[in-house]
Amino acid sequence: MTNGIGKSRAFSEFEDLLPVMADKLGGEGLIKELCNGFELLMDKEKGLITLESLRSNAAVLGLQNMREDELVSMVREGDLDGDGALNQMEFCVLMFRLSPDLMEESWLWLEDVLQDELTNTKRS
């Protein structure tokens, strides 16, 4: 699926940092950092990332160069429950989906976990 989000230079630079962050922080550390990013972008009263909160807080994450249509696309792309905003889970899922390298890496993590689980099950 293609969307306008990946075309933004600022967002692409942010996106490119996710695999680096994953390598440095590990899976749990990356999730913690994504949660911190969510909190920086969210509307403090609603506890969600709204278009307005994304627009006003995007500069905090270096996304100030995103166009209005890219911000709208970002919210639409990640809004899994259709409420017009992103909750923490939707934001994290969106960040993973928008980083092809990270998606590939997360499949490798999943395969490792499944292989470990399979090995442990056979020993029992």
Side-chain angles (χ1 to χ4, degrees), residues 73-84:
S73 291
M74 184 177 180
V75 172
R76 279 192 191 139
E77 179 83 16
D79 183 15
L80 301 175
D81 62 10
D83 66 354

Side-chain angles (χ1 to χ4, degrees), residues 8-123:
S8 166
R9 192 186 60 140
F11 194 79
S12 293
E13 290 170 7
F14 177 72
E15 177 183 319
D16 293 343
L17 290 177
L18 289 178
V20 174
M21 290 171 61
D23 286 343
K24 287 183 117 177
L25 303 172
E28 287 183 38
L30 176 62
I31 295 298
K32 182 178 177 184
E33 286 305 309
L34 287 174
C35 291
N36 290 338
F38 173 81
E39 289 188 22
L40 290 171
L41 293 172
M42 77 176 186
D43 177 304
K44 304 304 182 230
E45 291 179 17
K46 295 179 180 178
L48 300 168
I49 296 175
T50 63
L51 181 57
E52 295 76 26
S53 71
L54 183 59
R55 189 182 299 125
S56 62
N57 297 320
V60 173
L61 294 178
L63 304 176
Q64 66 273 10
N65 294 328
M66 287 184 74
R67 299 183 319 260
E68 181 70 14
D69 64 319
E70 293 173 318
L71 296 173
V72 170
S73 291
M74 184 177 180
V75 172
R76 279 192 191 139
E77 179 83 16
D79 183 15
L80 301 175
D81 62 10
D83 66 354
L86 302 177
N87 62 36
Q88 190 172 39
M89 185 268 312
E90 290 171 327
F91 175 75
C92 290
V93 167
L94 178 65
M95 294 297 100
F96 272 83
R97 284 179 44 210
L98 293 176
S99 178
D101 291 342
L102 194 56
M103 280 298 289
E104 185 176 315
E105 201 167 311
S106 65
W107 279 111
L108 294 174
W109 292 337
L110 179 61
E111 287 176 5
D112 287 346
V113 168
L114 292 174
Q115 185 62 42
D116 288 347
E117 190 65 31
L118 183 62
T119 302
N120 290 337
T121 300
K122 286 182 179 178
R123 289 182 191 161

